[in-house]
Coordinates of all heavy atoms in Angstrom, one line a residue:
D281 N 13.5 56.8 104.6 CA 14.0 57.5 105.8 C 14.1 56.5 107.0 O 13.2 55.7 107.2 CB 13.2 58.7 106.2 CG 13.2 59.8 105.2 OD1 14.2 59.9 104.5 OD2 12.2 60.4 105.0
N282 N 15.2 56.6 107.8 CA 15.4 55.8 109.0 C 15.2 54.3 108.8 O 14.6 53.6 109.7 CB 14.4 56.3 110.1 CG 14.5 57.8 110.3 OD1 15.6 58.3 110.5 ND2 13.4 58.5 110.3
F283 N 15.6 53.8 107.7 CA 15.3 52.4 107.4 C 16.1 51.4 108.3 O 15.6 50.4 108.7 CB 15.7 52.1 105.9 CG 15.3 50.7 105.5 CD1 14.0 50.4 105.3 CD2 16.3 49.7 105.3 CE1 13.6 49.1 104.9 CE2 15.9 48.4 104.9 CZ 14.6 48.1 104.7
K284 N 17.3 51.8 108.7 CA 18.0 51.0 109.7 C 17.2 50.8 111.0 O 17.2 49.7 111.6 CB 19.4 51.6 109.9 CG 20.3 50.6 110.7 CD 21.7 51.2 110.8 CE 22.7 50.2 111.5 NZ 22.3 49.7 112.8
N285 N 16.6 51.9 111.5 CA 15.8 51.8 112.7 C 14.6 50.8 112.5 O 14.2 50.1 113.4 CB 15.3 53.2 113.1 CG 16.5 54.0 113.6 OD1 17.5 53.5 114.1 ND2 16.3 55.3 113.5
I286 N 14.0 50.9 111.3 CA 12.9 50.0 111.0 C 13.4 48.5 111.1 O 12.7 47.7 111.7 CB 12.3 50.3 109.6 CG1 11.7 51.7 109.6 CG2 11.3 49.2 109.2 CD1 11.2 52.1 108.2
N287 N 14.5 48.2 110.5 CA 15.0 46.8 110.6 C 15.4 46.5 112.0 O 15.1 45.3 112.5 CB 16.3 46.7 109.7 CG 16.0 46.3 108.3 OD1 14.9 45.8 108.0 ND2 16.9 46.6 107.4
D288 N 16.0 47.4 112.8 CA 16.4 47.1 114.1 C 15.2 46.9 115.1 O 15.2 46.0 116.0 CB 17.3 48.2 114.7 CG 18.7 48.3 114.0 OD1 19.0 47.2 113.3 OD2 19.4 49.3 114.1
T289 N 14.2 47.7 114.8 CA 13.0 47.6 115.7 C 12.1 46.5 115.4 O 11.6 45.8 116.3 CB 12.2 49.0 115.6 OG1 13.1 50.0 115.9 CG2 11.0 49.0 116.6
F290 N 11.8 46.3 114.1 CA 10.8 45.3 113.7 C 11.3 44.1 113.1 O 10.6 43.1 112.8 CB 9.8 46.0 112.7 CG 9.0 47.1 113.3 CD1 9.5 48.4 113.1 CD2 7.9 46.9 114.1 CE1 8.8 49.5 113.7 CE2 7.2 48.0 114.7 CZ 7.7 49.3 114.5
G291 N 12.6 44.0 112.7 CA 13.2 42.9 112.1 C 13.3 43.0 110.6 O 12.7 43.8 109.9
K358 N 3.8 54.2 113.5 CA 5.1 54.7 113.1 C 5.1 55.1 111.6 O 4.6 54.4 110.7 CB 6.2 53.6 113.3 CG 7.6 54.1 113.0 CD 8.6 53.0 113.3 CE 10.0 53.5 113.1 NZ 10.3 54.7 114.0
K394 N 14.3 65.4 106.0 CA 13.8 64.2 105.4 C 12.3 64.4 105.0 O 11.8 65.5 105.1 CB 13.9 63.0 106.4 CG 15.4 62.8 106.8 CD 15.5 61.6 107.8 CE 17.0 61.4 108.2 NZ 17.1 60.3 109.2
E419 N 25.5 47.2 107.4 CA 24.2 46.8 106.8 C 24.4 46.8 105.2 O 24.0 45.9 104.5 CB 23.1 47.7 107.2 CG 21.8 47.4 106.5 CD 20.7 48.4 106.9 OE1 20.7 48.8 108.1 OE2 19.9 48.8 106.0

Side-chain angles (χ1 to χ4, degrees):
D281 295 329
N282 306 310
F283 186 70
K284 189 175 187 305
N285 290 335
I286 293 174
N287 271 338
D288 292 344
T289 305
F290 298 97
K358 187 175 181 62
K394 304 180 181 178
E419 180 183 319

